[in-house]
Amino acid sequence: MSRSPSGRLPSTHLKGARPLGSKKAESFTESVIREMTRLCQLHGGINLAQGFPDFPAPEEIKEAAVSAIRADVNQYAITWGSKSLRDAIARKYNRVYGMEVDPEREVVVCCGSTEAMIASMLAVVDPGDEVIVFEPFYENYGPDAILSGAVPRYVTLHEPDWRLDPDELAAAFSERTRAIIINTPNNPTGKVFTRGELSEIAALCRKWGVVAITDEIYEHILYAGQHVPIASLEGMAERTVTINSLSKTYSLTGWRVGWAVARPRLTDAIRKVHDFLTVGAAAPLQEAAVVALQLPEEYHQRLAADYRKRRDVLLPALEKAGFVCFKPDGAYYIMTDISGFGFSDDRAFARHLVETIGVAAVPGSSFYHRSEDGAQKLRFTFCKREETLRAAAERLASLQLSK
Ligand code: PLP
């Protein structure tokens, strides 16, 4: 079945009636992930679909937010971010990766990395430009391409280890390519791009004058390999937009504080788009973000160790229930193969799972531009308390019986 570039079916409207929505809005439908969350609530299920933690965020960050509100940090911050947060972001890139970032000219604080991504796309891409997207992809990149008028050019990450074929990668670049979207550690596959792979991408970006837009929100959630920001590779700082947020590292998905870091020529453009999109992120939460970004390295190590434990609860439970798992090296998702269950379609199986077993997962087709490529896949998240994961494991065990 052919699909819109969003990877989802267009919504229908009454025959003969003029649609009230724009063609852009008509071409993508509600996020499948949020739809699964709704179904899950309806059936009293355990939500392993949407990537938000069910455990508390660090106390000191919450306290800092309360203090900022009490101190009446209530009005608009500077549109591209409060000085204190921009300084903290620049310091962190320097401390962790040795990158030089000018907080005055090279940072845009946004409403989550979601806004940072669409603001960057709108700032970099002209309608008709090609943007390279690795597939499977995080489902927002499809609509981001539509909203910015980009023509997505997909490059496959090959199972089982989500390998990149250098020839296929090189063939995707041309005069028409304006940008490439990278997400490492990767949602949904758990792949961590190696320095070698990133160097190949970087060489092609330099050759063709392409901007790398890199979503690194899982940078500290790693079980194998090393996180390499592509901006830190030779000649790449000038042509990279590095995107991140508080959401995953500090378990604060609802705060909506993220940022884009890039050299002034790119930042100037992103700041203008950002200003007109949202004016700015929540001012008191920006002050609390400063406290988050100052947490010591041990915080990141504990975060990764805790997620490893959670992965090691869910993964064997899925395998025992009959799923073939792609073991993640990073991020907090497990992509699975469901062919053993005899369902022709991932959506039907996801519905079956939530309705009869009470566990919600995301149908694999939401990560592919051709639904058939994901028809035998399901993605589970393990950003939940161990007891939540153990409860899910118990329910999944009964799936084994119902096979
Ligand atoms: N990018 C990726 C790869 C994600 O997986 C998610 C959330 O799941 C986001 C961005 C959204 O991040 P934020 O909450 O910072 O907008």
Side-chain angles (χ1 to χ4, degrees):
M1 182 184 292
S2 100
R3 295 188 146 217
S4 68
S6 70
R8 284 186 288 283
L9 295 169
S11 62
T12 51
H13 45 263
L14 288 176
K15 218 175 171 185
R18 192 174 159 190
L20 294 177
S22 69
K23 288 200 183 88
K24 277 181 181 167
E26 282 285 311
S27 68
F28 44 82
T29 54
E30 185 198 21
S31 153
V32 179
I33 298 181
R34 287 180 272 284
E35 183 190 334
M36 285 313 296
T37 294
R38 226 193 26 249
L39 265 182
C40 185
Q41 281 164 357
L42 195 70
H43 295 283
I46 297 174
N47 190 352
L48 303 188
Q50 201 173 357
F52 59 83
D54 68 347
F55 44 83
E59 236 11 82
E60 56 270 58
I61 310 178
K62 293 190 289 190
E63 279 307 319
V66 172
S67 304
I69 291 172
R70 290 228 165 88
D72 271 322
V73 183
N74 295 324
Q75 311 310 328
Y76 301 123
I78 296 171
T79 177
W80 48 80
S82 73
K83 174 157 173 52
S84 51
L85 179 52
R86 282 180 287 115
D87 286 349
I89 290 167
R91 274 198 307 273
K92 185 181 163 188
Y93 279 101
N94 190 261
R95 189 177 77 233
V96 180
Y97 302 113
M99 288 162 59
E100 295 290 341
V101 173
D102 177 354
E104 296 308 324
R105 305 193 55 206
E106 299 184 338
V107 179
V108 193
V109 174
C110 295
C111 300
S113 60
T114 300
E115 195 230 327
M117 179 58 77
I118 187 62
S120 301
M121 292 275 283
L122 288 167
V124 166
V125 173
D126 282 314
D129 287 344
E130 286 188 8
V131 171
I132 298 173
V133 178
F134 292 106
E135 187 176 51
F137 50 82
Y138 169 56
E139 64 159 7
N140 275 30
Y141 301 154
D144 285 339
I146 294 175
L147 290 173
S148 59
V151 178
R153 178 88 198 236
Y154 298 101
V155 172
T156 304
L157 299 173
H158 293 278
E159 302 165 30
D161 53 356
W162 310 106
R163 189 182 46 81
L164 196 55
D165 180 320
D167 295 333
E168 287 172 7
L169 177 68
F173 279 78
S174 73
E175 304 267 299
R176 294 182 299 278
T177 316
R178 179 61 69 96
I180 179 167
I181 298 179
I182 300 153
N183 170 219
T184 182
N186 183 260
N187 173 11
T189 63
K191 175 185 174 67
V192 177
F193 282 68
T194 64
R195 185 177 287 275
E197 288 170 329
L198 292 168
S199 300
E200 276 173 41
I201 296 169
L204 288 162
C205 287
R206 289 192 301 266
K207 175 175 170 189
W208 293 100
V210 165
V211 174
I213 307 179
T214 172
D215 175 341
E216 302 184 357
I217 63 170
Y218 299 102
E219 65 179 328
H220 295 296
I221 305 179
L222 275 182
Y223 319 109
Q226 189 200 359
H227 176 66
V228 179
I230 195 168
S232 68
L233 301 184
E234 208 192 321
M236 286 307 287
E238 352 301 314
R239 55 180 61 262
T240 300
V241 182
T242 304
I243 288 174
N244 216 313
S245 85
L246 294 186
S247 291
K248 310 295 175 172
T249 304
Y250 306 102
S251 310
L252 292 166
T253 60
W255 280 25
R256 317 306 306 131
V257 178
W259 53 88
V261 167
R263 287 291 187 248
R265 251 181 353 148
L266 285 166
T267 293
D268 288 348
I270 299 168
R271 283 182 174 181
K272 280 190 273 184
V273 175
H274 157 75
D275 191 5
F276 292 115
L277 278 180
T278 63
V279 179
L285 303 186
Q286 293 191 42
E287 293 315 314
V290 175
V291 173
L293 290 173
Q294 284 166 350
L295 289 179
E297 201 44 43
E298 298 82 73
Y299 172 80
H300 301 141
Q301 284 158 6
R302 196 159 8 98
L303 180 82
D306 288 348
Y307 272 120
R308 179 190 292 275
K309 278 194 238 151
R310 296 181 187 116
R311 180 194 68 173
D312 294 346
V313 171
L314 184 62
L315 194 133
L318 287 169
E319 284 181 335
K320 223 166 131 199
F323 293 87
V324 175
C325 295
F326 299 93
K327 190 175 180 180
D329 288 339
Y332 50 48
Y333 305 97
I334 300 174
M335 192 69 143
T336 66
D337 184 302
I338 56 169
S339 7
F341 294 99
F343 277 71
S344 62
D345 172 307
D346 55 319
R347 284 178 175 238
F349 186 62
R351 216 169 266 274
H352 168 78
L353 203 63
V354 73
E355 284 170 4
T356 62
I357 308 293
V359 173
V362 181
S365 53
S366 13
F367 308 108
Y368 290 86
H369 77 288
R370 279 187 304 260
S371 51
E372 54 270 32
D373 291 341
Q376 289 303 318
K377 295 208 165 51
L378 220 55
R379 190 205 73 179
F380 293 83
T381 181
F382 53 89
C383 59
K384 308 291 169 187
R385 285 172 293 160
E386 275 184 52
E387 65 217 70
T388 309
L389 296 172
R390 287 191 204 287
E394 254 174 54
R395 293 183 181 199
L396 287 165
S398 68
L399 178 68
Q400 209 175 11
L401 301 174
S402 66
K403 258 194 288 178

